Amino acid sequence: MNLGKFIIKKATFGIATMVVVSFLIFLALEVNIEEVAVKVLGQYSTPEQRAAWLLENGYTDPFLVRYLRWLGGFVVGEWGQSTYFRAPVMDVLLPRLGASAVLAGGALLVIVTFGLTLGVLAGMRPGSLLDRVVSVFSVITTSIPDFASAVFLSAIFVFWLGVLPGASTMISGFSLKELILPVSVLGLYSMGYLARVTRASMADVMSTHYIRTARLKGASLSRMVLRHALRNALITPVTVIMLQLPWLLSGVIVVEVFYAYKGFGSLLYDAALNQDIYLIEACAMISVLVVVLSQIFSDLLYGWLNPRIQLGEKS
């Protein structure tokens, strides 16, 4: 399957997935129109006000008609009005999504840099002291949840040493110092997990026949790793890295709320807490879009790393 057909196939599947998920989201949030009116107008609104609002906004139409109208509006960027922030959903969501992209990008840089490096170094010499140290580090970091890491790191660097700020509000503009703790908390767990996966993959590749042949021919360890082992060893870690993208988008909720970071996660938290129905719908659709795009990109990278597997035929 060529690249064009593969992208079309994956895009078609992704669009179908988003349509199904959008229907489930709309069904869960807007099947009861009386609840929608209460959430939008407030619990102290009168029945007459709710009835007038429902009629004005087309909620007396059949459910399927309302869903198709909402879906069409979402496609063209009409995401509704946030009842909590009193502003268009798109105006509220896009800046927060950009802020979370900065946070997730920093965390992904830490995860990939340190996770791959530690995993490759440990897998080059299985059973060595470095391998044991990396394994212990990986087990410890993957055993500690995000909220515990946030408390632990804050206790050390904020309250004990006093070298880092305890909040990442970015009130005075972008601050690299305020990003250190949130990025560290997000990176620790996934860094250890990626290191373990990379170490196992690297150790498997280093025991293959072509690596043994290269070793018998007198090839240096660095040459064997860089020219023969590394590309094949990265196949599984690349899949893990791509899976971190949707996790980072949802996993930032705890970190952003803990550090008062104004990003996508804290926005979704505020929307759920205040029953901001249109904002919840938009956040859910953005999350699905990120998952779909990350899966397509993962398959493209998989095919590049392993040319023996044709695009679209990966199990």
Side-chain angles (χ1 to χ4, degrees), residues 99-100 102-103 168-170 179 255-257 259-263 266:
S100 281
V102 172
L103 182 60
S168 302
T169 56
M170 303 287 181
L179 279 177
V255 176
E256 288 186 358
V257 172
Y259 290 106
Y261 187 83
K262 301 300 182 183
S266 60

Side-chain angles (χ1 to χ4, degrees), residues 3-4 12 24 44 51 60 67 71 73 79 84-85 96 132 137 151 155 159 209 221 247 265 273 295-297 312:
L3 181 61
T12 303
L24 295 176
Y44 298 110
T60 55
Y67 165 71
L71 184 62
W79 296 357
Y84 177 66
F85 293 96
R96 294 291 196 97
R132 294 190 180 94
F137 169 78
V151 172
F159 299 106
H209 62 88
L221 181 61
W247 176 85
L273 197 63
Q295 290 300 312
I296 295 176
F297 191 51

